[in-house]
Amino acid sequence: MASIAFSSAIRNSMSWPTMLSNKPADDMKDGFSFGKSMFTTRKHNFNHQDLILTNVASPLTPAIAPPPEKTARPDDRHHVAWTSIRQERWEGELVVQGQIPLWLSGTYLRNGPGMWHIGDYNFRHLFDGYATLVKLHFENGRLIAGHRQIESEAYKAAKKNKKLCYREFSEVPKSDNFLAYVGELANLFSGASLTDNANTGVVKLGDGRVVCLTETQKGSIIIDPVTLDTLGKFEYTDTLGGLIHSAHPIVTDTEFFTLLPDLVIPGYLVVRMEPGTNDRKVIGRVDCRGGPAPGWVHSFPVTEHYVIVPEMPLRYCAQNLLKAEPTPLYKFEWHPDSKAFMHVMCKASGKIVASVEVPLYITFHFINAYEEEDEDGRVTAIIADCCEHNANTTILDRLRLQNLRSYNGGEDVLPDARVGRFIIPLDGSPHGKLEAALNPDEHGRGMDMCSINPCNLGKKYRYAYACGAERPCNFPNTLTKLDLMKKKAKNWYDEGAVPSEPFFVARPGATQEDDGVVISMVSDKNGGGYALLLDGSTFEEIARAKFPYGLPYGLHGCWVPKK
């Protein structure tokens, strides 16, 4: 295969220095405490020319080791990617191996479910955990890192009561009696019992506010990107109502689009919000063409002039939501007989310009979309790319923590995935196409967690960065650069490590689409974690910095440039 796999032999033979300084957490109680330190400061003789210790102004000081926990967590023996973070907050400067570009000035924020237990009770699913926000602040070649738990009402209530108090992805609070259960169901219909645990994504709005998000509308929380403090709820001031929305809105300095599923009369509202406001305006509505409920819309793409609304046969299911114990598909139901569709709505008028049937599909994340033009400049089709799981719903079950933690290697259990490319004609044809944008073997038939150069959002593009697979595996374990023009991929791989979403940051003034760096945070096989920088063009490692503690897996991030 034409992919380039970068050897980890040199990296695995080294022990990386720890941080320069840190601030210990100041709120260690209610079962959320430090774990055992696995790292010590040692002298190293590096002979690899590409590894340069970045000069720093502050003196080198010993790392402050967290005190050991009184009792070990039940999941201690598992890969650190699937274990809870050991402290509520931390901040410190990291020693950098390699060279951070001096132009890289700002903060990368990554959100994700980093706390998967309450006391001795362990959550079921990857998506259940309480949100942990991690930052990497780059300035003058130095790196300040830190993390903090997002103080949602769900998280604070769990700490106070030492039990689950709100409905998470697969978790339901245990009722003491039948009357309490009836009351909890009433709270479900009103939305009061739904979680505000904003553990999925983080976005910077056009007015500078930074908001953490999940699929419940109440789970929109404003944070301070410098201190990571929870500042309060992002309250929508319109009267649109509803309980859920897309976890991934389309956000630029001038635009904010999202989808609001209608569970009563199956369909979707397409809405826009102006920068500096909390008021959403309806652009238009899409009525579902099949099934008893709208399809799951975790994400969706846009082009310069259109919003693309996916209608998956994996549909919301009110009955599953009401059940106290999770079903195999959790709050969803697979309805292949209802078929699958893609709808195209004009941003300006709200008019639906295309609604086509497409082959069945499953996707969490769309990558990008653009308008295909003929020789006369007329738009003839919409091209929309996504991380597509071959219409295989088992990916949801594979993300149960029990499955992730019980993997011992050797067996290949990760369901196949590809870059699914939708071709949506605008000539009135009733059917669209779905095909692989490149041979899935290029990225190990694993594909998710994509990012692109934001300058190409909604436009024709060539490169994307994602997590792929080095098989056998049970979870995406490589970082992959996709060249959609040459239909090739380059893969970075560190044996036993679990990298999170690769995030592309363009170099200021760049004219080439891949001129920049790719940032990822990696959970190491030996219980540690490190921040990683790859060159966006060559996809070679240029720097890494080790955390002084185990870093669990995280989901999605954003870039906040220095003002």
Side-chain angles (χ1 to χ4, degrees), residues 128-173:
D128 283 325
Y130 293 117
T132 302
L133 192 63
V134 186
K135 75 172 182 180
L136 300 174
H137 177 72
F138 300 91
E139 189 170 0
N140 298 322
R142 297 171 63 169
L143 174 55
I144 305 293
H147 82 262
R148 188 162 181 174
Q149 295 299 119
I150 296 175
E151 295 182 331
S152 63
E153 293 302 320
Y155 175 68
K156 291 189 293 184
K159 279 184 59 182
K160 179 181 178 180
N161 298 291
K162 296 182 173 59
K163 66 177 183 179
L164 187 78
C165 299
Y166 290 84
R167 286 175 172 258
E168 301 296 336
F169 179 79
S170 76
E171 298 285 346
V172 177

Side-chain angles (χ1 to χ4, degrees), residues 170-495:
S170 76
E171 298 285 346
V172 177
K174 304 301 181 185
S175 301
D176 295 330
N177 52 57
F178 179 74
L179 288 178
Y181 173 70
V182 173
E184 205 276 330
L185 288 183
N187 287 334
L188 172 61
F189 286 113
S190 70
S193 70
L194 293 180
T195 187
D196 66 339
N197 176 24
N199 68 357
T200 304
V202 54
V203 297
K204 183 182 78 69
L205 303 182
D207 57 20
R209 290 178 292 177
V210 177
V211 181
C212 294
L213 298 164
T214 189
E215 292 191 346
T216 63
Q217 292 189 37
K218 65 189 290 187
S220 303
I221 295 178
I222 305 172
I223 60 97
D224 185 318
V226 177
T227 66
L228 306 186
D229 287 345
T230 298
L231 301 181
K233 291 290 185 67
F234 186 94
E235 302 283 359
Y236 297 100
T237 56
D238 53 67
T239 59
L240 295 179
L243 302 178
I244 57 178
H245 59 180
S246 171
H248 294 282
I250 301 295
V251 182
T252 69
D253 288 341
T254 59
E255 292 184 319
F256 178 104
F257 294 97
T258 194
L259 302 182
L260 308 182
D262 185 343
L263 303 181
V264 179
I265 305 174
Y268 314 88
L269 289 182
V270 181
V271 302
R272 174 195 281 119
M273 187 171 68
E274 296 295 328
T277 75
N278 292 39
D279 193 57
R280 298 164 298 181
K281 303 291 186 183
V282 175
I283 300 173
R285 176 186 167 92
V286 173
D287 290 319
C288 288
R289 290 181 54 184
W296 187 20
V297 284
H298 185 73
S299 69
F300 65 98
V302 300
T303 68
E304 291 186 87
H305 301 103
Y306 302 102
V307 177
I308 291 82
V309 180
E311 185 182 343
M312 278 200 298
L314 184 64
R315 298 180 181 274
Y316 295 99
C317 179
Q319 289 179 333
N320 286 356
L321 190 61
L322 292 173
K323 292 178 180 178
E325 293 297 323
T327 68
L329 292 179
Y330 303 94
K331 57 187 175 183
F332 312 109
E333 214 170 36
W334 180 241
H335 287 275
D337 293 341
S338 71
K339 303 180 181 180
F341 305 92
M342 296 289 283
H343 312 279
V344 180
M345 178 181 288
C346 176
K347 288 180 180 179
S349 68
K351 179 182 178 182
I352 299 174
V353 300
S355 180
V356 300
E357 182 184 341
V358 293
L360 302 181
Y361 64 97
I362 292 287
T363 183
F364 299 159
H365 301 114
F366 280 86
I367 303 170
N368 195 25
Y370 60 90
E371 298 161 18
E372 191 88 292
E373 298 180 346
D374 62 15
E375 296 177 353
D376 298 323
R378 291 173 299 194
V379 179
T380 59
I382 300 296
I383 308 299
D385 294 339
C386 70
C387 304
E388 204 277 307
H389 296 277
N390 294 302
N392 184 352
T393 63
T394 59
I395 183 63
L396 276 172
D397 184 67
R398 293 311 312 167
L399 298 180
R400 283 193 298 128
L401 289 168
Q402 179 182 353
N403 289 333
L404 296 173
R405 290 169 175 168
S406 62
Y407 185 72
N408 295 317
E411 187 180 2
D412 193 23
V413 295
L414 177 68
D416 285 359
R418 59 179 177 168
V419 180
R421 170 159 289 183
F422 292 97
I423 303 173
I424 308 168
L426 299 185
D427 60 1
S429 300
H431 293 89
K433 297 179 180 179
L434 173 58
E435 57 192 32
L438 76 167
N439 187 337
D441 287 334
E442 284 287 317
H443 48 78
R445 306 185 316 283
M447 179 53 44
D448 220 327
M449 313 301 284
C450 273
S451 73
I452 63 169
N453 187 326
C455 294
N456 290 81
L457 176 68
K459 303 175 183 177
K460 197 163 189 175
Y461 71 119
R462 177 175 177 179
Y463 300 111
Y465 303 90
C467 291
E470 178 73 19
R471 294 184 181 265
C473 61
N474 73 325
F475 195 83
N477 58 1
T478 72
L479 298 173
T480 297
K481 179 184 179 181
L482 303 168
D483 186 331
L484 298 172
M485 185 179 76
K486 291 187 175 180
K487 300 186 182 299
K488 296 293 182 181
K490 294 182 180 179
N491 300 295
W492 175 95
Y493 174 66
D494 189 352
E495 184 180 357

